[in-house]
Structure formats: C-alpha cells, structure tokens
Amino acid sequence: MGLFSKPEQFFGLDISGTSVKVVELKHGSGKPQLAAYGGMVLPAGSMQSDSEVDLQNVSNAIRQVVSKAKIQSTHCVAALPGSGVFTSIITLPNMPRNELADSIKWQAKQYVPSPLEEVILDWHVVGEVAPSGAAVGAQPGAKPGEPGKGQPAKEIEVMLIAAPIALVKKYMNIINASGFKPLALEIEPLSLARSVVGVRAEPVVVLDIGQAGSEISIVENGVIRLNRNTTAGGGALTRAISQSLGIDANRAEQFKRDFGLREDKLEGQIPKAVKPVLDTLVSEIRRSIEFYRDQRHGAVELREMVVVGGTARMPEFLPLLSGTFGVEAKIGDPWANVNYPASLKDQLNEIAPSFAVTVGLSMREI
Ligand SMILES: Nc1ncnc2c1ncn2[C@@H]1O[C@H](COP(=O)(O)OP(=O)(O)OP(=O)(O)O)[C@@H](O)[C@H]1O
Ligand SMILES: [Mg+2]
C-alpha cells in the first residue's frame, strides 16, 4: 500500500437538475459487478438555487439515496452538467507533452469565453494531425491523452475544458456537506463515452435527453470530439404538451410516456404540440454533425447514434432520429459491461437510459 493509497471503492454520483442517482460497482478481474444503485427526485428547484437551504436539501437527498441503496463506500466521483462547462477542440503545433500545459494556458485566453481567473482548466489530447495534413485521431485503444504512434505528428488536437470555479465549488460544497468525499468531477459526456460507447474506431453520436435538456456529443476512438447542449429535453416536451392540450403537467407527462410521437393517438396532437421542441433538438444535432464533418474534412461517416436519458424511451422517438439523420439510432445500455443478478434484469433495463451517466462515473479509473 502506498503512502497515498487510493480508496478501495467509490460510487458514481449524478446530481441532475431534478434528481440524484448513485451506482456502486465492485471492480476485480473481468466485468465489474453491480454492488448497489438508487435514485430519488429532488425537491423542485433545489439545484437551480444557490440558497443554503436548497443546497442542504440536495445534500440530504444524497445521504438518503446512499443509505437506502446500502452503498458502502465513502468516496464518490460526480458529474458536472455539460451546460455549465465550456469545451472546445483546439489545434496546437506538436510539442513535448511537458510543454503542453503552459502552451494551453496561454492559448486558452483566446477560446474560453469567461475570464481565466474564474474557471478551472482541464484538457486531454484527442488526436493528431499526421505530417500529410490528415487528421488521424488518437490510436484506437489509447486512453484519452495518449497520442498515436508512428511518424511524429505535425499538430495535435486538444479538448479544452473550462469549468466555472463557482459551479465546481457548488458541487464540492453539496458533496462535502453530504458527508462523502469527492475524488473527481467530470463532464457528463466523458462518463457516457465510458458507459455506452467504449473504445471503437467509428464515430458515434451520443444524445443524452433527460429532463432539463439534451447533451449531444460525438465520440471517436474513445475520445470526445465535440459536445453541445440545448434546453430541448423531456421537461420542455411535457410543458409543450400541457400548454398545447390545456392539461396539467402530470397528465401531459403520462401522455408523453404512453403515446409519445404516435400520430394515431389523440389525433396526432402530441407530435404537433412538441414539434417546436423537437425542431430545436434536430437543428442542434444537425449543427453538431456538420461541425464534426468540418473538423474531419468530411472524411468520416457517422452511422450510429446512441440515445440515453429517460426521454430515449419515448414512443416513436428513435425512428424519428434514424429517419431524420439517416443513422441507426438505438438506446444505449450502460449495464452491458456490468455483471448483475438475473433477477434485476427487468428493473435495470427500465432505468438503463437514465443511469447511463451514473454507471459511467462508477466505471472511472481512479
Ligand atoms: N417512457 C418514457 N417516455 C418518455 N419520456 C420519459 C420516459 N421515461 C422517462 N422519461 C422522461 O425522462 C426525463 C428524465 O430523464 P433522466 O433521468 O435522464 O433525467 P435527468 O438526468 O434527471 O435530467 P437532466 O440530465 O436533464 O438534468 C423526464 O423528462 C421524463 O419525463
Ligand atoms: Mg441526466
């Protein structure tokens, strides 16, 4: 055991705008084993506020979920909402890795929209530009930050992440007040890349459509090439149904889950009501795909879209995505690389899209 021994176990903690979700895995040889999981809805508006009482409510919710799920560990890895964090791919001349940090700090001023004193900077090498000028990406199987082998690269591509200090402090305060020790905070697309994409050469569009909004990312060779957010999510769909049909939010939620985008139900009123929200989502996804094609000079085809977040289960939603983008859209299964008792299969399947971030957090290598 080293002087600074790592904790044996930790749990993944996803504090979303509306809920708290936790997953604990036991790591050994082979697939990790599910040890515990749980979730609960937060008191309305508590995460949107900065008041002491509201944040205390979130800390209490974390304690309750952990205790109910019978989680054993005292340490956790948590996600930061993508909407609060700036990310961008920047290109730099190739240089020794020990010079990179200084160069990135220098360059960051041009890219990050807020003053550098107000953010925490992080970065990963995501790819290399070969001497021929062609983008080659990181080596398949390489961990983020490990460049490809072969001829020395001419330029390197770096994913720059700038998290507002105020946001990081808010999350750290909530977690500390809950009595658990945060080992790391990471952006949601990193967790998703781990749980529902893994390392594969073909690029994949990942769409996380939860309650507060949607997060779109493109993952290639196990690294995130792009990420983008929109408020077009499950909450906006329910509000649109409620307003358009003149019904309360609970009924609108039920219609959304039961009928989704089916034209043959309620005379097609639901797909009509939610069209503006879906139009926003579609145009954000389209922009992301175009941006990625530009980065890659059109050389790479996108054929697959992995959809997670509770809204992934909305009837007729996946066919709409497949048809609109000419890709194969499918629900991401974060449990695919986890061992669990067969008796839990149905229950875990049901919550799979909602737990994609949480499972990814619990899979992080510490
Ligand atoms: N079967 C279903 N059909 C349609 N929508 C569903 C279904 N099940 C859950 N949802 C929606 O999924 C959303 C919750 O998803 P999720 O648990 O991924 O959100 P979250 O992680 O708490 O929120 P966010 O990440 O946006 O802050 C809600 O809007 C809910 O209405
Ligand atoms: Mg979420």
Side-chain angles (χ1 to χ4, degrees):
M1 202 184 273
L3 194 55
F4 298 102
S5 61
K6 293 173 188 169
E8 297 249 306
Q9 244 174 298
F10 63 92
F11 62 96
L13 171 63
D14 177 8
I15 310 170
S16 82
T18 47
S19 64
V20 171
K21 291 169 258 185
V22 292
V23 169
E24 184 179 45
L25 301 178
K26 268 202 189 102
H27 299 272
S29 55
K31 277 189 190 180
Q33 175 78 31
L34 178 62
Y37 72 96
M40 95 180 233
V41 173
L42 285 170
S46 37
M47 262 321 265
Q48 287 69 35
S49 146
D50 283 320
S51 86
E52 222 12 72
V53 178
D54 283 316
L55 300 186
Q56 199 57 51
N57 280 338
V58 181
S59 300
N60 290 341
I62 297 172
R63 257 200 306 275
Q64 280 177 42
V65 174
V66 167
S67 145
K68 205 160 163 233
K70 299 199 170 63
I71 279 183
Q72 300 295 326
S73 30
T74 51
H75 294 71
C76 64
V77 172
L80 283 176
S83 54
V85 181
F86 170 84
T87 59
S88 179
I89 299 254
I90 62 173
T91 306
L92 299 169
N94 197 8
M95 66 185 82
R97 294 302 186 256
N98 57 1
E99 290 171 20
L100 207 50
D102 279 344
S103 172
I104 287 169
K105 265 184 226 144
W106 186 247
Q107 295 280 331
K109 272 188 221 133
Q110 296 178 46
Y111 297 97
V112 178
S114 37
L116 288 192
E117 312 79 71
E118 292 171 17
V119 299
I120 294 174
L121 280 185
D122 192 10
W123 49 271
H124 308 276
V125 175
V126 298
E128 300 186 328
V129 181
S132 61
V136 292
Q139 283 289 100
K143 288 182 187 158
E146 278 177 7
K149 297 185 181 72
Q151 282 178 288
K154 201 166 124 201
E155 291 177 315
I156 45 176
E157 291 171 305
V158 172
M159 156 85 52
L160 186 63
I161 303 168
I165 291 173
L167 182 76
V168 173
K169 275 200 175 143
K170 177 173 176 172
Y171 275 69
M172 296 294 273
N173 287 342
I174 290 171
I175 299 168
N176 284 324
S178 72
F180 300 101
K181 292 198 175 60
L183 289 174
L185 292 176
E186 68 177 22
I187 53 168
E188 291 177 353
L190 276 179
S191 327
L192 292 174
R194 218 177 281 126
S195 64
V196 295
V197 183
V199 176
R200 50 177 127 156
E202 320 79 58
V204 179
V205 184
V206 180
L207 169 64
D208 180 355
I209 174 160
Q211 161 71 14
S214 296
E215 181 138 19
I216 305 151
S217 51
I218 296 182
V219 181
E220 187 188 306
N221 283 317
V223 295
I224 295 149
R225 300 282 324 178
L226 176 150
N227 113 277
R228 201 178 172 95
N229 298 279
T230 153
T231 51
L237 294 172
T238 302
R239 278 193 298 280
I241 297 169
S242 159
Q243 277 161 16
S244 174
L245 275 66
I247 53 177
D248 70 26
N250 288 338
R251 196 124 180 265
E253 178 75 28
Q254 205 54 49
F255 280 166
K256 178 180 81 172
R257 293 184 186 220
D258 291 346
F259 306 139
L261 306 177
R262 288 180 60 169
E263 292 284 353
D264 60 340
K265 296 287 176 184
L266 303 174
E267 294 159 347
Q269 287 181 84
I270 299 178
K272 199 169 155 212
V274 298
K275 191 173 180 301
V277 180
L278 291 178
D279 283 349
T280 304
L281 177 65
V282 162
S283 71
E284 288 298 319
I285 298 173
R286 187 162 283 136
R287 252 182 233 159
S288 305
I289 293 175
E290 278 165 11
F291 193 77
Y292 169 76
R293 288 205 174 117
D294 280 354
Q295 265 187 25
R296 280 285 187 240
H297 308 292
V300 192
E301 254 331 292
L302 280 161
R303 294 197 188 89
E304 202 182 322
M305 187 180 294
V306 174
V307 189
V308 296
T311 312
R313 299 173 60 234
M314 181 165 71
E316 295 305 312
F317 182 49
L318 293 197
L320 170 94
L321 294 170
S322 298
T324 307
F325 297 104
V327 294
E328 187 197 348
K330 53 186 183 194
I331 292 200
D333 179 14
W335 306 114
N337 290 310
V338 175
N339 276 329
Y340 52 81
S343 58
L344 291 180
K345 193 169 178 42
D346 289 348
Q347 214 174 325
L348 294 180
N349 264 346
E350 170 131 10
I351 60 167
S354 281
F355 271 69
V357 168
T358 333
V359 174
L361 290 165
S362 66
M363 285 177 160
R364 184 175 158 127
E365 277 180 40
I366 295 292

